[in-house]
Amino acid sequence: MKIYWIAPLLLLWAGTAAASPLSARHGAECLTAELLESGWLRASYRTGAACEQAAFPASPYVLDATQKPLKTESRRESGKQISESKRLRMTLDEASLCLTLYDKAKQHEVSQFCPGTGEQGWLTLAMAKGNTQQLYGLGQSHPAPGISDGDWLQRGKRVAGSQYGNQMVDAPGGLVGNTQFPILYALGKDATPWALFLDNSYPQNWDFQHDPFKVGVNGGDDLRFYVRVGDSLADLRRGYMQLVGKPLIPNRKLFGLWMSEFGYDDWAELDGVSQSLQKNAFPLDGMVMDLQWFGGIRDNSDNSSMGKLAWDESHFPEPAAKLKQLAQEQHLGVMLIEESYISKGLPEHQKLHDKGFLVKQPDGQPVYLAKKPWWGKGGMLDWSNPAAGAFWHDWKRQPLVDMGVMGHWTDLGEPMDFAADGVYHGFSPGKTRHADVHNLYNLLWHRSIFDGYQRNHHEQRPFMLSRAGGAGMQRYGAGMWSGDIPARLKNLASHLNAQMHMSLSGVDYFGSDTGGFYRNSFDGKPEDYDQLYTRWFAVSALIDLPLRPHADNVCNCYQTAPDKVGDIASNRANTRLRYELIPYYYALAHRAYRQGDPIIAPVIYADEADPTLRGMGAQKLIGDSLLAALETRSDSKTMPVYLPKGEWFDYHSHAWQSSKGEWLEDVPLFHDKLYHLPLYARAGAIIPLLEVGDSSVDAFGRKPDSMEKPALLKLKVFPHHQASAFTLYEDDGETTAYTQGKVRTTRIRQQRDADLQHVWIEAAQGDYQGAPAQREVQLVLAEIAQVAAVLVDGKPVPAADKSGFGWQRSNSNTLSVRLPALAAKQAHHIEIRYGAQEKK
């Protein structure tokens, strides 16, 4: 009988071209695998009765649109099933259930992936090390305070924060996040880069100390995983973002400075902070309000205000009028904190209970959380129930959005407090335990906010600032910060390492509590804190999105704003540098939304073959044109900077440097007594800028008494003999119209010949409401050569006069050209001719 069964099967597998998956069963174990049109291999390992269930049910992480199977050539040979695409050969061993990937283009094996069941029923996946030399991703972890460098192969292990997964973990003097994003990138010498995404939300422990690498997963009925090969780390990340979703673009104001603390007690305190900053010529875009806005909390009480989610009008009267006044007179947005906990004594608790929207005990009654009563005592919203999220949004959150609240600070969403025996609605049928929901809880919270905006047809862009999350949160408009971090520079160093992995985990909007949340954890002399603050602020001004100083200041005994603590002149300069670069960051945000490229990239992106860049967390690429070196020592006056292979300009001084991939020693950190971190631009870089001065107050460059958004096109160009280009993306900066194509793109090119510098501004494509028909153009060029003439569209440009229009040398190595309004929908050619001696 066995012979008669095999014979037709052999015929069936002989060179078929179809979208049928490979499938095998060995004892109680089974595996299904197939190649997808998106370029991913997906596989599902199951045991027992789960083998009779669907191999690939709906996932909270993965987008359905990416799941179309690829038609491949398939066959069966000697107990192995083989499927081939143009690039890959996938082999399934029917006895071991191991999958082997072979790269046909490079003619070598990529890796082998062997699923199984380990001790205590944990699902496992082993991955052959091969030539792997670097491992990145896997979300947020802070394993080594004081150390900014290290990839996962160097670290050796990546463990879950708790038995449930996501958790705030102890950092002496504070707490930092341990948040899993199960995306792993493997790079190596003469090896095909590959990425593995584990589509499983249960707690995971990864071990890279042995060959093969191994991950154990504590939960679930199946182990679904996706594998992709690519030609570079950038290629793999784009594929990952395609799989789980690319980030929405927040309101342009979220790229500016937002002041925050725990907490502002009334409007007068908030006004004091914002008005002082603007009086001291700091641009400012928003205020983040902690739980005092809804009345604060009452420790160990059923009658706390936690869960009220409505203004405490005894301290914050007439909130709608106040938000309107802040927006119109100071150009300030407001972000409000919210939590998922509902004090039992509130009428909100009873209403939610009546509707069945609270997490329940096994007996059907709401859970009663009383073990961590700092916030009060009561119940917990069930975000796994879409009806609960919709009801809460429409009842409580949408009125806040309608009155002008710009962002939602979703706090404590690991979740911090929970009942281990809690019963949830669940994302998947039958998965209703807390262990089933824990690592999805904050992600589903984000989804409920995004869905609420969609359902209410609101044109405002959703933005959430969260302490936890999961893969795909960015497609809902959510970003993260690293938690209640101690006020110690060694924790800033570990944050830089976490940022590197979070960028590759798909979270572009990531930052810290600038200056440290727990100010009482600072272990130096009180007067030395000024130095820490200024150094931390300079780092955040370059890489945090948004830039947000925040501290525990219920005592009102600390200063938190950059005009009140640290070196004010340096803080102001670094704030203005951030604002100057906002058009560049914003264009990168569009690129992230469209292509899946990171805004703040790991420096390994500069040259994957350079071993010095491996695991380097203290240097970052901002887009692909700027390189930032970030100092975390407290008293250094200089620092070493590694310049990857290529030609670079100092962003500030315009000094040129050619590098074969080498260290620059003793790079100064102070310029004219101002603390500035080293910042370099690639030769050929074209950086769009915002004009920032004493009277510009927000991310649009608006003046305090005007709602008009300046139309100036300001470009900083770093010449190179090789042609280069940059695409500027512009939209209204506020509404979701960009998702319907209401965007203007302008391609800008440059090339330096022996005696000519060319800058081409191509005709703008597309439009948005308020897009200027014409605008002034200012060109800032890093240039030491003597200028003979400047022409625009073939016509000479005179030297600058009192009006400021024309060309002039602002210093020995900077040429500035300011032109009257030019038509945006017409192409323009700026030509700079140099003296005859420059022909040499």
Side-chain angles (χ1 to χ4, degrees), residues 530-595:
D530 283 353
Q531 192 173 64
L532 175 145
Y533 183 96
T534 289
R535 289 175 181 247
W536 197 320
F537 189 87
V539 169
S540 294
L542 285 174
I543 69 166
D544 281 8
L545 297 167
L547 167 58
R548 186 182 69 105
H550 182 59
D552 180 359
N553 195 27
V554 176
C555 62
N556 288 323
C557 52
Y558 301 117
Q559 296 293 345
T560 59
D563 67 326
K564 297 292 185 184
V565 60
D567 181 68
I568 296 173
S570 295
N571 294 344
R572 180 166 44 234
N574 285 308
T575 304
R576 291 186 176 189
L577 173 62
R578 168 57 167 264
Y579 274 77
E580 178 179 83
L581 291 170
I582 281 178
Y584 178 63
Y585 286 97
Y586 197 71
L588 297 178
H590 266 277
R591 196 175 69 174
Y593 167 72
R594 291 163 178 249
Q595 301 167 204

Side-chain angles (χ1 to χ4, degrees), residues 421-737:
D421 63 350
V423 179
Y424 294 74
H425 174 277
F427 178 84
S428 302
K431 301 299 183 184
T432 60
R433 302 172 306 146
H434 181 77
D436 300 319
V437 174
H438 183 93
N439 294 315
L440 298 177
Y441 188 77
N442 217 152
L443 179 70
L444 299 177
W445 187 0
H446 297 145
R447 187 184 70 175
S448 77
I449 298 174
F450 173 81
D451 288 348
Y453 273 72
Q454 297 281 97
R455 185 176 54 257
N456 288 282
H457 306 289
H458 210 288
E459 291 187 345
Q460 177 174 299
R461 302 177 187 183
F463 182 77
M464 297 137 244
L465 181 64
S466 182
R467 208 172 70 176
M473 61 186 289
Q474 64 277 355
R475 69 179 183 252
Y476 300 131
M480 277 180 58
W481 92 101
S482 56
D484 300 342
I485 194 167
R488 298 175 180 177
L489 288 174
K490 64 182 181 181
N491 295 104
L492 173 60
S494 66
H495 169 85
L496 297 183
N497 187 258
Q499 190 279 334
M500 174 179 69
H501 294 294
M502 283 295 282
S503 174
L504 288 168
S505 300
V507 180
D508 288 294
Y509 300 93
F510 182 71
S512 65
D513 285 345
T514 300
F517 178 73
Y518 285 113
R519 291 279 291 272
N520 59 3
S521 69
F522 180 65
D523 51 7
K525 299 176 182 177
E527 58 269 24
D528 292 339
Y529 180 79
D530 283 353
Q531 192 173 64
L532 175 145
Y533 183 96
T534 289
R535 289 175 181 247
W536 197 320
F537 189 87
V539 169
S540 294
L542 285 174
I543 69 166
D544 281 8
L545 297 167
L547 167 58
R548 186 182 69 105
H550 182 59
D552 180 359
N553 195 27
V554 176
C555 62
N556 288 323
C557 52
Y558 301 117
Q559 296 293 345
T560 59
D563 67 326
K564 297 292 185 184
V565 60
D567 181 68
I568 296 173
S570 295
N571 294 344
R572 180 166 44 234
N574 285 308
T575 304
R576 291 186 176 189
L577 173 62
R578 168 57 167 264
Y579 274 77
E580 178 179 83
L581 291 170
I582 281 178
Y584 178 63
Y585 286 97
Y586 197 71
L588 297 178
H590 266 277
R591 196 175 69 174
Y593 167 72
R594 291 163 178 249
Q595 301 167 204
D597 289 326
I599 298 175
I600 310 295
V603 73
I604 188 68
Y605 263 54
D607 186 354
E608 289 181 14
D610 188 340
T612 305
L613 299 177
R614 189 179 306 162
M616 184 181 286
Q619 293 188 191
K620 310 287 183 186
L621 285 177
I622 306 172
D624 50 15
S625 295
L626 295 179
L627 171 73
L630 310 173
E631 178 62 285
T632 58
R633 293 175 297 169
S634 62
D635 56 358
S636 53
K637 294 181 172 58
T638 64
M639 70 176 294
V641 176
Y642 186 79
L643 279 186
K645 183 180 178 181
E647 297 179 9
W648 300 86
F649 285 85
D650 183 299
Y651 180 85
H652 301 289
S653 71
H654 299 171
W656 175 84
Q657 181 78 41
S658 180
S659 175
K660 297 178 182 178
E662 53 200 87
W663 286 96
L664 304 180
E665 302 294 339
D666 299 324
V667 177
L669 293 170
F670 291 86
H671 302 273
D672 298 326
K673 298 183 179 181
L674 300 177
Y675 184 78
H676 268 309
L677 290 168
L679 184 63
Y680 292 86
R682 286 187 187 273
I686 301 167
I687 311 293
L689 303 178
L690 182 70
E691 192 165 46
V692 181
D694 289 350
S695 59
S696 53
V697 298
D698 78 341
F700 291 98
R702 291 182 287 201
K703 310 302 181 195
D705 56 350
S706 173
M707 296 297 289
E708 182 180 352
K709 300 172 183 176
L712 173 70
L713 176 61
K714 185 175 182 180
L715 304 169
K716 194 168 191 178
V717 177
F718 297 90
H720 198 257
H721 62 88
Q722 292 182 351
S724 60
F726 183 83
T727 299
L728 175 67
Y729 292 90
E730 299 171 287
D731 57 34
D732 64 29
E734 298 174 288
T735 75
T736 58

Side-chain angles (χ1 to χ4, degrees), residues 736-755:
T736 58
Y738 77 93
T739 63
Q740 284 86 48
K742 301 297 184 182
V743 178
R744 173 179 283 183
T745 61
T746 306
R747 190 166 183 261
I748 302 143
R749 298 181 289 120
Q750 77 78 40
Q751 188 169 19
R752 172 69 187 265
D753 295 332
D755 57 355

Side-chain angles (χ1 to χ4, degrees), residues 129-452:
K129 178 180 179 181
N131 291 334
T132 299
Q133 295 177 321
Q134 303 161 53
L135 294 168
Y136 296 96
L138 299 184
Q140 178 186 202
S141 180
H142 299 250
I147 301 175
S148 57
D149 296 343
D151 68 278
W152 288 116
L153 191 57
Q154 293 168 304
R155 293 270 188 254
K157 286 187 175 182
R158 165 64 165 105
V159 298
S162 72
Q163 64 172 322
Y164 294 103
N166 293 345
Q167 183 74 33
M168 291 286 284
V169 296
D170 181 63
L175 296 166
V176 290
N178 183 314
T179 318
Q180 66 181 38
F181 288 70
I183 171 69
L184 178 71
Y185 302 87
L187 304 179
K189 185 178 181 181
D190 302 323
T192 301
W194 54 269
L196 168 75
F197 179 67
L198 207 57
D199 187 14
N200 186 297
S201 63
Y202 292 89
Q204 303 164 9
N205 290 331
W206 299 75
D207 188 345
F208 306 114
Q209 299 176 102
H210 309 286
D211 186 4
F213 305 142
K214 199 168 187 178
V215 58
V217 181
N218 185 20
D221 295 327
D222 64 352
L223 189 67
R224 278 168 283 161
F225 58 96
Y226 291 72
V227 182
R228 184 185 180 95
V229 302
D231 296 319
S232 66
L233 187 58
D235 178 41
L236 291 173
R237 188 192 191 266
R238 291 187 196 110
Y240 168 65
M241 300 302 281
Q242 179 187 20
L243 186 70
V244 301
K246 295 184 279 290
L248 300 179
I249 304 172
N251 189 304
R252 180 174 167 129
K253 296 180 72 61
L254 268 302
F255 292 83
L257 172 63
W258 285 68
M259 283 307 306
S260 177
E261 68 174 42
F262 177 44
Y264 300 124
D265 295 320
D266 49 34
W267 289 130
E269 186 178 350
L270 184 144
D271 287 341
V273 173
S274 65
Q275 291 170 10
S276 176
L277 280 163
Q278 292 180 339
K279 180 180 178 180
N280 284 296
F282 280 77
L284 177 67
D285 272 278
M287 306 297 292
V288 186
M289 301 180 67
D290 214 311
L291 46 79
Q292 285 79 6
W293 79 270
F294 57 68
I297 52 177
R298 185 179 297 178
D299 181 31
N300 202 31
S301 172
D302 287 347
N303 297 310
S304 176
S305 291
M306 182 69 90
K308 182 179 169 185
L309 213 67
W311 290 96
D312 172 15
E313 296 200 33
S314 65
H315 292 89
F316 299 96
E318 301 182 30
K322 182 63 177 180
L323 294 181
K324 183 176 181 180
Q325 177 259 320
L326 288 171
Q328 293 184 349
E329 296 181 14
Q330 293 182 259
H331 303 312
L332 293 180
V334 169
M335 185 186 306
L336 299 180
I337 199 170
E338 59 175 271
E339 291 87 359
S340 300
Y341 303 110
I342 314 292
S343 296
K344 187 176 181 180
L346 291 176
E348 285 83 355
H349 185 280
Q350 184 63 49
K351 192 165 187 177
L352 290 167
H353 171 43
D354 292 343
K355 290 183 172 291
F357 291 159
L358 295 173
V359 180
K360 300 176 179 63
Q361 299 176 124
D363 64 4
Q365 292 300 308
V367 297
Y368 184 61
L369 303 176
K371 291 183 180 180
K372 297 179 181 179
W374 64 268
W375 59 266
K377 295 185 292 187
M380 181 180 184
L381 271 158
D382 183 2
W383 299 118
S384 73
N385 185 345
F391 172 76
W392 189 251
H393 181 93
D394 293 348
W395 180 30
K396 288 290 186 176
R397 194 183 296 115
Q398 190 59 43
L400 301 172
V401 176
D402 291 339
M403 72 171 61
V405 169
M406 191 174 291
H408 312 280
W409 180 8
T410 54
D411 195 20
L412 315 180
E414 293 80 21
M416 179 208 69
D417 197 5
F418 55 87
D421 63 350
V423 179
Y424 294 74
H425 174 277
F427 178 84
S428 302
K431 301 299 183 184
T432 60
R433 302 172 306 146
H434 181 77
D436 300 319
V437 174
H438 183 93
N439 294 315
L440 298 177
Y441 188 77
N442 217 152
L443 179 70
L444 299 177
W445 187 0
H446 297 145
R447 187 184 70 175
S448 77
I449 298 174
F450 173 81
D451 288 348

